[in-house]
Amino acid sequence: ADLPKKFGRMPSRSPAAEIDAALEAIAAAGMVVEVNTAVWHKPCAEAYPSIGILRACRERGVETTISADAHRPEDILRDFDRAGLLLRDAGYTHVARFERRTRRSEPLEFAVPTGPRSP
């Protein structure tokens, strides 16, 4: 919902009503929202979705997943620990994982590697 900030574009007015409608549709469809860790290496360097949107997802029961959008092997788990902290701050205790198009829920502690935080 707030991906345009990745490109340095901010709305001229608050898109809150549109975001609320989108989140309601996502919840009704049983979809999952992705936290993409590549964002911290883009010019905006701000999580998307934002913490506010993630909290709104949590309130609606929308599950989340974490992706690195990796284009190199060394980036596969980059910043997963940071994403885990963001999700915890938003009130999540579990994350959705997919295997062969089947979704399962795992505790954040299991799904997010521990160790030193990424820069």
Side-chain angles (χ1 to χ4, degrees), residues 4-66:
K5 71 183 171 189
K6 171 184 170 183
F7 305 103
R9 302 190 189 218
M10 300 305 285
S12 58
R13 64 171 184 77
S14 172
E18 291 84 357
I19 290 172
D20 284 344
L23 295 182
E24 290 296 327
I26 289 168
M31 295 175 69
V32 172
V33 168
E34 173 197 38
V35 174
N36 188 313
T37 64
V39 68
W40 286 297
H41 303 277
K42 304 292 182 196
C44 70
E46 182 182 324
Y48 58 84
S50 69
I51 186 73
I53 292 173
L54 288 172
R55 286 180 178 142
C57 287
R58 178 71 181 114
E59 290 170 4
R60 290 169 173 82
V62 174
E63 289 185 75
T64 59
T65 191
I66 301 172

Side-chain angles (χ1 to χ4, degrees), residues 5-6 36-48 67-72 74-83 117-119:
K5 71 183 171 189
K6 171 184 170 183
N36 188 313
T37 64
V39 68
W40 286 297
H41 303 277
K42 304 292 182 196
C44 70
E46 182 182 324
Y48 58 84
S67 168
D69 194 22
H71 295 268
R72 303 176 310 169
E74 60 267 25
D75 295 337
I76 290 175
L77 296 175
R78 181 172 68 174
D79 291 319
F80 269 43
D81 53 344
R82 192 171 178 182
R117 287 193 52 188
S118 302

